[in-house]
Amino acid sequence: MSQELKKAASKGHEKMVTSQEEQAKITEVRGLIGPLSDKESVYCSDASISRYLRSRNWNVKKAAQMLKQSLKWRKEYKPEEIRWEEVAEEAQTGMMYKPNYHDKYGRSVLVMRPCVQKSSSTQGQIKYFVYSIEHAILNLPPHQEQMVWLVDFQGFKLSDISFKVARESAHILQEYYPKQLGLIILYNAPMIFQPFFSMVKPFLETETVNKIKFGYSNNHNTKKIMEDLFDKDNLESAFGGNGDTGVDINKYAERMKEDDNKKHSFWTQAKSISSVAQNAPSDSIRLDAVSDASNTKKIDCSRVPN
């Protein structure tokens, strides 16, 4: 792999702490958030609390407050209870899907194709967005906690995207899924997208902005990075790979329903698991993810708007 990708495992400007200091801060956060329900105990694993601490540069009070807000949102929105049947209408065009492969770091991949977006329901789009994130996390391998998003701009029109949906999606991702975004590649974004991006950018944290890269099919550096990140036989042709672009919605529905069952089985066991969850290296709805893989991939950085 390229030197850029080898450097990607670094924490950037993130404050570094020892494992002993980290554990002490995790314990402090637990003290501040107070008693938890069974589901909350499973969610608040050491790995999960560590993500919130890192997101707030190891400030215990800020991390605890952020985690409390996430727990409140999860209690009200119930993301783990969303089922395929509730989002099937939003998903039917293939505007967003989770392909059946990971990148070479083991990160889950979400593909977005704005040109096939047909929904006019803001809440429907947000619900499917949350559902997709939950499933991306569910399918992460051990010791991995991040996602990569690939956005295909082929056939893009401004009417394909909503500022309100983009702003709400950014809020949910940054506030309730901290440190779980590894990279967003905006592939072949046209010039007409730039004003929209400029409107959304003020709502993005600096860390999020730094993870958004513009890639172009006619750019050598983009091609090299895509080859370093993905197996070309898996990667969709829209992103320079040899795989099919798009998704068979019927087969995808079956795969998502299987994941729904897996997710349901996990949460129904929450009560019996919660007694040991605090010491288990779990993250969100998994029990075995505990790492922060790359968060800075440079793709034609000169083309990234300032």
Side-chain angles (χ1 to χ4, degrees):
M1 289 191 177
S2 69
Q3 283 300 112
E4 285 179 337
L5 297 182
K6 289 179 180 178
K7 292 177 183 178
S10 68
K11 305 287 185 175
H13 298 293
E14 185 178 292
K15 179 181 176 181
M16 301 300 291
V17 299
T18 66
S19 58
Q20 291 85 354
E21 289 173 328
E22 177 180 11
Q23 192 58 54
K25 288 179 179 292
I26 289 172
T27 301
E28 285 186 68
V29 171
R30 291 193 183 283
L32 290 175
I33 60 178
L36 300 171
S37 68
D38 293 329
K39 280 187 177 181
E40 288 172 340
S41 294
V42 174
Y43 180 78
C44 292
S45 64
D46 282 3
S48 186
I49 293 175
S50 179
R51 285 194 295 105
Y52 284 84
L53 281 164
R54 283 182 278 123
S55 181
R56 290 299 177 259
N57 202 26
W58 301 101
N59 184 301
V60 171
K61 290 183 178 179
K62 289 182 179 180
Q65 182 59 32
M66 186 184 192
L67 180 52
K68 285 180 180 179
Q69 290 300 315
S70 286
L71 292 174
K72 180 176 183 291
W73 174 77
R74 294 188 71 88
K75 184 176 181 180
E76 295 172 352
Y77 201 82
K78 296 179 172 58
E80 76 281 358
E81 295 183 12
I82 303 173
R83 297 293 178 263
W84 173 257
E85 290 76 13
E86 301 174 53
V87 298
E89 185 174 350
E90 295 293 331
Q92 65 181 348
T93 63
M95 57 79 58
M96 183 189 303
Y97 62 91
K98 181 180 68 64
N100 202 17
Y101 64 84
H102 295 77
D103 78 350
K104 291 181 180 180
Y105 284 104
R107 296 177 294 188
S108 289
V109 178
L110 285 177
V111 172
M112 301 179 187
R113 303 181 65 219
C115 70
V116 297
Q117 169 63 265
K118 304 299 180 185
S119 174
S120 59
S121 169
T122 298
Q123 292 308 311
Q125 291 179 59
I126 294 298
K127 193 170 190 176
Y128 184 45
F129 173 76
V130 171
Y131 176 86
S132 297
I133 289 179
E134 288 284 314
H135 278 259
I137 294 170
L138 175 72
N139 285 277
L140 285 168
H143 312 300
Q144 181 53 267
E145 62 184 9
Q146 292 189 323
M147 305 167 281
V148 173
W149 295 358
L150 300 176
V151 185
D152 173 17
F153 277 90
Q154 182 177 358
F156 171 79
K157 306 181 298 299
L158 279 177
S159 59
D160 295 330
I161 50 177
S162 160
F163 174 75
K164 187 175 182 179
V165 170
R167 183 178 61 184
E168 181 64 17
S169 298
H171 173 76
I172 289 172
L173 176 69
Q174 294 174 150
E175 297 300 320
Y176 308 138
Y177 296 94
K179 293 292 182 181
Q180 299 211 269
L181 175 65
L183 177 68
I184 299 178
I185 299 177
L186 305 179
Y187 203 82
N188 287 333
M191 289 300 296
I192 59 171
F193 175 72
Q194 301 300 332
F196 181 87
F197 183 77
S198 297
M199 289 172 58
V200 173
K201 196 173 180 180
F203 297 94
L204 303 178
E205 297 174 355
T206 300
E207 181 178 351
T208 302
V209 173
N210 290 340
K211 291 179 178 181
I212 299 174
K213 305 302 177 185
F214 286 66
Y216 298 89
S217 56
N218 60 356
N219 180 271
H220 176 75
N221 190 43
T222 294
K223 293 178 181 178
K224 180 63 169 62
I225 295 296
M226 297 301 280
E227 290 175 359
D228 284 343
L229 282 174
F230 301 100
D231 183 332
K232 286 195 69 173
D233 289 335
N234 292 328
L235 186 66
E236 288 86 347
S237 58
F239 304 109
N242 300 324
D244 294 332
T245 296
V247 62
D248 182 322
I249 197 62
N250 293 321
K251 292 181 180 179
Y252 188 66
E254 292 306 311
R255 183 151 60 91
M256 292 300 98
K257 288 176 184 178
E258 290 178 6
D259 277 358
D260 284 347
N261 291 333
K262 190 193 317 183
K263 189 167 57 174
H264 176 72
S265 296
F266 174 79
W267 285 111
T268 55
Q269 299 176 56
K271 187 172 182 178
S272 62
I273 295 173
S274 63
S275 61
V276 297
Q278 290 190 358
N279 296 317
S282 66
D283 184 47
S284 188
I285 55 178
R286 299 176 303 112
L287 293 178
D288 50 11
V290 59
S291 88
D292 184 13
S294 75
N295 61 9
T296 52
K297 308 293 183 304
K298 297 182 179 179
I299 296 183
D300 196 17
C301 290
S302 63
R303 307 289 292 269
V304 179
N306 293 319

